[in-house]
Amino acid sequence: MRAVAFMNQKGGVGKTTCAVNLGAALAEARRRVLLVDMDPQANLSVHFNVDIHAIERSTYTVLRGESTAREAVLPEVRERLWVLPANIDLSGAEIELVSAVGRESLLRDVLQPFLAEEPFDFVFVDCPPSLGLLSLNALTAVEEVFIPLQTEYFALQGMTRLLEVVELIRARLNPALSVSAIIATMFDPRTNLGREVLEEIRKYFGKKVCRTIIRTNVTLAEAPSHGKTILEYAPSSRGSEDFRKLAKEILRR
Ligand SMILES: Nc1ncnc2c1ncn2[C@@H]1O[C@H](COP(=O)(O)OP(=O)(O)OP(=O)(O)O)[C@@H](O)[C@H]1O
Ligand SMILES: [Mg+2]
């Protein structure tokens, strides 16, 4: 099993889009995938048409110890895809859990018994755009970090801080942790800027940068409003093509 956090404290860089659609592409490739929504914005849950106002169990209740992961994970939302949903309640967790014992490892502790019983091939944790307690919990619960980077100016802004936090969690709480993939997103091959930024990203991260680049594709932005993954919404779009290719690459890496 590979457990991965999709992380970048910069907002709107494609974390959720990557977690959802790479997850869906891996499920299509016959892997069993659990998606954990660790963002109070709950965009990942919305991608699957989850009624976030109606759910009684969520990442929040699980972190609070009010329900188990098994109780809160929704029944298979798509073939081989499972979702632990979130809602706005999770925004309270940053503050409420500050005084909890082992506050950085709550997610790991609640997921462990569930993962021990369920044979998932991938667990993806979608993080909020911050380096707060929710993101620290994600880093403690996984072994890999995937960093989506938008191929725009300032793509690398904040990277030093992000890598420092990963290193801190590795040293103190989770020796197995590493940044294993950088995913360049929203790439427009027609612009010089896109190519320049991609070059800069490759210089900074070297081999960690995935060969597969996620191009800008409007169907990727449309799919969530229909409660669909890109593979369902526009199966032959460039978006679907890119995520299927990325899934193959991730399976090889
Ligand atoms: N390759 C793409 N082409 C076109 N639009 C995209 C692409 N990737 C993501 N988007 C759109 O860009 C916006 C931001 O993407 P996304 O929500 O995945 O980013 P995020 O990093 O999860 O954001 P946040 O930090 O708010 O959680 C969304 O509206 C999404 O649909
Ligand atoms: Mg998001």
Side-chain angles (χ1 to χ4, degrees):
M1 191 198 69
R2 289 172 67 181
V4 181
F6 288 73
M7 185 165 291
N8 189 335
Q9 73 272 37
K10 222 167 141 81
V13 298
K15 294 179 287 293
T16 306
T17 304
C18 286
V20 166
N21 294 304
L22 179 59
L26 288 164
E28 190 181 70
R30 311 205 61 80
R31 301 311 193 279
R32 291 164 58 93
V33 182
L34 171 65
L35 302 173
V36 177
D37 196 344
M38 269 299 252
D39 185 353
Q41 298 178 98
N43 293 342
L44 182 141
S45 307
V46 170
H47 267 82
F48 294 98
N49 240 342
V50 174
D51 184 354
I52 56 172
H53 303 291
I55 50 172
E56 284 174 5
R57 301 187 187 101
S58 63
T59 315
Y60 176 72
T61 60
V62 172
L63 290 173
R64 302 248 318 170
E66 294 165 4
S67 52
T68 63
R70 176 174 294 287
E71 287 164 341
V73 169
L74 298 168
E76 203 170 359
V77 290
R78 301 288 189 277
E79 209 179 356
R80 291 180 292 276
L81 261 185
W82 286 261
V83 171
L84 174 52
N87 58 23
I88 189 67
D89 293 346
L90 192 55
S91 61
E94 292 269 4
I95 296 159
E96 294 166 26
L97 298 175
V98 156
S99 56
V101 175
R103 60 185 179 181
E104 289 95 1
S105 32
L106 298 170
L107 182 66
R108 178 178 68 190
D109 296 346
V110 294
L111 280 183
Q112 236 163 23
F114 180 59
L115 298 179
E117 290 166 11
E118 288 292 328
F120 291 109
D121 296 299
F122 289 89
V123 178
F124 284 176
V125 184
D126 185 28
C127 295
S130 80
L131 293 173
L133 192 51
L134 292 169
S135 294
L136 297 185
N137 266 275
L139 288 178
T140 306
V142 301
E143 296 185 340
E144 298 182 58
V145 182
F146 287 5
I147 305 179
L149 289 177
Q150 193 179 358
T151 46
E152 295 280 348
Y153 267 130
F154 307 121
L156 294 170
Q157 193 187 39
M159 272 313 105
T160 313
R161 180 77 192 124
L162 174 51
L163 298 177
E164 273 169 16
V165 170
V166 171
E167 178 48 32
L168 209 68
I169 296 288
R170 193 195 61 74
R172 302 227 176 121
L173 294 164
N174 186 5
L177 186 68
S178 72
V179 174
S180 58
I182 307 297
I183 305 171
T185 66
M186 294 182 238
F187 179 63
D188 184 348
R190 293 166 306 184
T191 68
N192 287 330
L193 176 63
R195 286 195 301 270
E196 277 166 31
V197 174
L198 189 57
E199 206 40 53
E200 204 184 320
I201 291 171
R202 284 183 172 139
K203 240 182 242 156
Y204 191 88
F205 282 107
K207 285 204 175 105
K208 288 194 172 170
V209 183
C210 294
R211 280 165 169 272
T212 308
I213 309 294
I214 307 300
R215 293 167 289 180
T216 298
N217 182 218
V218 68
T219 60
L220 282 167
E222 291 166 356
S225 65
H226 297 267
K228 288 180 173 170
T229 70
I230 193 63
L231 303 184
E232 296 164 320
Y233 177 69
S236 49
S237 62
R238 275 189 294 170
S240 286
E241 200 182 297
D242 291 346
F243 277 107
R244 286 195 174 105
K245 196 167 152 205
L246 184 61
K248 286 206 185 95
E249 181 175 349
I250 294 301
L251 287 170
R252 280 195 312 264
R253 275 171 99 94

